[in-house]
Amino acid sequence: MTWRMPAETDPHERLWMAWPSGGYTLGDTDQEAHEARAAWAAVARAAVRYEPVTMVVRPEDRGIAAAYLDSRVGVVEAALDDAWMRDMGPSFVTDDGGRLGAVDWVFNGWGQQSWASWEHDSAIGRTVAEAAGAEVVASRLVNEGGGFQTDGLGTVLLTESVQLDPDRNPGLSKADVEAEFARTIGASHAVWLPRGLTRDSKEYGTRGHVDLVAAIPSPGTLLVHVQYNPEHPDYEVSGEYLELFHASRTADGKPWTIIEVPAPHTLHDGEDWVDWSYINHVALNGGLVACSFADPHDEKALRILADAYRGRHVSAVDARVLFSRGGGIHCVTQQQPLASGIHRITQQQPKARPIGA
């Protein structure tokens, strides 16, 4: 059996998210908790315009979630530590027979970070897979969905500081990692980046997720985050990325068409250099939900995205609250591709119901 992870732009069955439930994600005050809940709800509300959305919610949070979420959003109840579905959730795959699979990576809190907890989140991959009616594809690789990007045609973008992190996968080589991506998502060609954005590489980051750096809107095309201001340390980082991507090739040996997406004009948020990125968006059926930052560069960046995802309506959601907690719109979502066999497996819909039910 050969599994393949479709491109994010391929048709979806639905979008998965997780409800913020505690810790640093909710913050220390009632106001901070409200801001977090409102931000996650805003992403779900924007996404459900285009396709079904299912939210994993702790049973004890069902009532508070109902006060924020659009009534069209479905719910699966499960214990949670955090709310970054892209990273703790499964990566959905399909096979030539139309079956739906879900790669259940090992999740260990972004490399056993001292501030993270993952007792419950480490089980969410299997929980979501079973709720979706997918066959679980177990993996021993410590990995997160935000740590790679694929074009669905054999190419995968990876980061040495993530997949080769000694606190994630001690002793593994690039060849070991590539072999596992070939087995689980059908990737035949890897493009390796050395590191991630500056802030994302610090204590409270992921150590280098690629979904802040590059996205693949269509075969052979790369959207790349570029910092044009030399005052920001990502000025040099993004220069390295551009040089590397220009020298790299797709799985079929062709050069990329590279579209530069400017970083926000804002350089600092009062705590540190920002890692705000317009790259951290999610493509949906006929739509795109993208980050905005009340920033002078918003309009230009959203226009670039609209051109790259021609034919999809772009909805912008203010992502500053998400980024203040460690991620963006792509980080809080995970797409489930449309598989011809899914209805044979689940009969109708995943084990979800409207949150108001």
Side-chain angles (χ1 to χ4, degrees), residues 108-165:
N108 75 346
W110 303 278
Q112 306 176 69
Q113 300 272 31
S114 61
W115 45 264
S117 59
W118 58 92
E119 175 188 359
H120 303 301
D121 288 352
S122 62
I124 290 300
R126 182 172 292 270
T127 297
V128 169
E130 292 174 352
E135 179 176 335
V136 175
V137 182
S139 176
R140 294 183 179 180
L141 187 73
V142 179
N143 187 46
E144 303 96 37
F148 70 95
Q149 294 273 35
T150 181
D151 61 0
L153 299 173
T155 307
V156 64
L157 310 181
L158 303 170
T159 311
E160 293 177 16
S161 56
V162 174
Q163 283 82 23
L164 301 183
D165 178 6

Side-chain angles (χ1 to χ4, degrees), residues 11-327:
H12 298 176
E13 178 80 16
R14 67 182 53 247
L15 192 72
W16 289 86
M17 297 181 65
W19 187 245
S21 54
Y24 70 93
T25 305
L26 282 186
D28 299 322
T29 67
D30 289 344
Q31 179 59 30
E32 290 174 346
H34 166 69
E35 290 173 351
R37 291 163 179 154
W40 261 257
V43 175
R45 184 167 56 251
V48 81
R49 296 173 55 195
Y50 305 106
E51 63 190 59
V53 175
T54 299
M55 185 79 67
V56 178
V57 178
R58 295 193 310 175
E60 59 266 41
D61 291 332
R62 186 175 177 83
I64 191 68
Y68 285 87
L69 289 175
D70 188 297
S71 62
R72 293 171 292 177
V73 175
V75 166
V76 167
E77 295 182 358
L80 291 167
D81 297 295
D82 217 322
W84 307 101
M85 181 56 79
R86 179 69 53 176
D87 294 345
M88 63 185 176
S91 298
F92 287 101
V93 292
T94 60
D95 70 3
D96 291 340
R99 291 199 298 173
L100 182 71
V103 183
D104 183 21
W105 312 104
V106 176
F107 179 70
N108 75 346
W110 303 278
Q112 306 176 69
Q113 300 272 31
S114 61
W115 45 264
S117 59
W118 58 92
E119 175 188 359
H120 303 301
D121 288 352
S122 62
I124 290 300
R126 182 172 292 270
T127 297
V128 169
E130 292 174 352
E135 179 176 335
V136 175
V137 182
S139 176
R140 294 183 179 180
L141 187 73
V142 179
N143 187 46
E144 303 96 37
F148 70 95
Q149 294 273 35
T150 181
D151 61 0
L153 299 173
T155 307
V156 64
L157 310 181
L158 303 170
T159 311
E160 293 177 16
S161 56
V162 174
Q163 283 82 23
L164 301 183
D165 178 6
D167 290 316
R168 284 178 168 101
N169 297 301
L172 290 193
S173 66
K174 285 185 177 180
D176 295 328
V177 172
E178 290 174 14
E180 184 64 354
F181 273 95
R183 183 186 75 86
T184 54
I185 73 164
S188 58
H189 173 68
V191 176
W192 286 90
L193 304 178
R195 55 174 171 160
L197 297 183
T198 299
R199 184 165 177 173
D200 189 40
S201 300
K202 294 185 177 181
E203 180 182 3
Y204 293 103
T206 69
R207 298 178 184 161
H209 273 189
V210 74
D211 66 354
L212 292 173
V213 173
I216 306 172
S218 60
T221 300
L222 272 181
L223 291 166
V224 180
H225 173 89
V226 180
Q227 174 57 255
Y228 293 111
N229 192 325
E231 295 180 17
H232 195 298
D234 284 338
Y235 175 79
E236 292 186 3
V237 174
S238 60
E240 291 178 19
Y241 289 151
L242 284 174
E243 183 177 353
L244 188 153
F245 283 133
H246 277 294
S248 69
R249 295 293 183 267
T250 63
D252 61 3
K254 296 179 180 179
W256 298 97
T257 297
I258 294 176
I259 300 172
E260 298 184 8
V261 182
H265 179 269
T266 304
L267 301 180
H268 208 280
D269 64 1
E271 294 184 10
D272 202 346
W273 301 106
V274 299
D275 56 2
W276 297 355
S277 173
Y278 300 106
I279 297 297
N280 203 267
H281 53 262
V282 63
L284 304 168
N285 294 335
L288 188 84
V289 180
C291 298
S292 64
F293 302 97
D295 186 272
H297 288 178
D298 283 356
E299 184 177 354
K300 179 179 180 180
L302 294 173
R303 191 165 57 246
I304 292 172
L305 295 182
D307 287 342
Y309 290 93
R310 194 167 297 278
R312 297 175 192 263
H313 180 267
V314 177
S315 296
V317 174
D318 191 325
R320 288 175 294 175
V321 168
L322 297 176
F323 272 86
S324 71
R325 287 152 173 80

